[in-house]
Amino acid sequence: MSGIDVCLYEVMALPGARGAALVDWTCGLALGSAGEPPRGEPESAAVEAAELARLSMEYGTFRSPDGEAPTDDEAPPGPGATGAVEDLIVTTRTAYHLLRFVETGHDSSVFLHLWLDRDTGNLAVARLCLRDAARRLVLE
């Protein structure tokens, strides 16, 4: 089990890692960050990544068939919900953005965002590393 700083340090050790952050997707607040943020603006990067994460959780299209889509009067499901999104991958010509939702014992609304250089990074390894880091992360 590790804290936010240790978790971010681990993912930044990946080849090609440019920046990483732990973000609350309900408000767009970065709870911790390391490396350089995309476009040099950590606040904007956190808000924009949180919006993408929130949309993926809110809409039933992105849930697997074994989970039920929320009704209008229900809150969006958390990462631990059956069929919920585990991670998102956005690719650009030069980079990958990986968003890995963190499951906790209570309602979790955080995710790890890793900005990875496309030429020097390995997407498959980064995905596995983020999964493991998210499992070990302890939030109090």
Side-chain angles (χ1 to χ4, degrees):
M1 301 217 183
S2 63
I4 295 171
D5 292 337
V6 172
C7 179
L8 294 174
Y9 179 78
E10 286 177 15
V11 298
M12 285 302 296
L14 284 166
R18 307 270 318 265
L22 181 70
V23 180
D24 184 322
W25 58 269
T26 59
C27 64
L29 177 67
L31 305 175
S33 63
E36 59 182 283
R39 297 182 175 229
E41 300 172 9
E43 295 84 11
S44 296
V47 168
E48 291 169 3
E51 183 67 13
L52 181 60
R54 186 188 59 76
L55 288 172
S56 73
M57 285 295 186
E58 193 171 280
Y59 294 109
T61 300
F62 303 110
R63 293 173 49 81
S64 65
D66 60 344
E68 295 181 23
T71 61
D72 289 338
D73 59 345
E74 291 179 359
T82 303
V85 176
E86 290 180 338
D87 54 17
L88 299 172
I89 301 170
V90 177
T91 61
T92 68
R93 290 181 188 257
T94 61
Y96 298 115
H97 292 267
L98 285 80
L99 281 64
R100 177 68 187 199
F101 293 95
V102 178
E103 295 182 24
T104 62
H106 56 283
D107 291 336
S108 179
S109 60
V110 297
F111 64 91
L112 287 166
H113 175 197
L114 174 64
W115 180 28
L116 189 67
D117 182 86
R118 194 168 176 154
D119 291 333
T120 58
N122 182 316
L123 182 58
V125 170
R127 239 186 116 223
L128 293 172
C129 179
L130 275 184
R131 180 197 65 195
D132 293 343
R135 286 181 180 164
R136 288 190 303 273
L137 183 61
V138 174
L139 301 172
E140 297 186 29

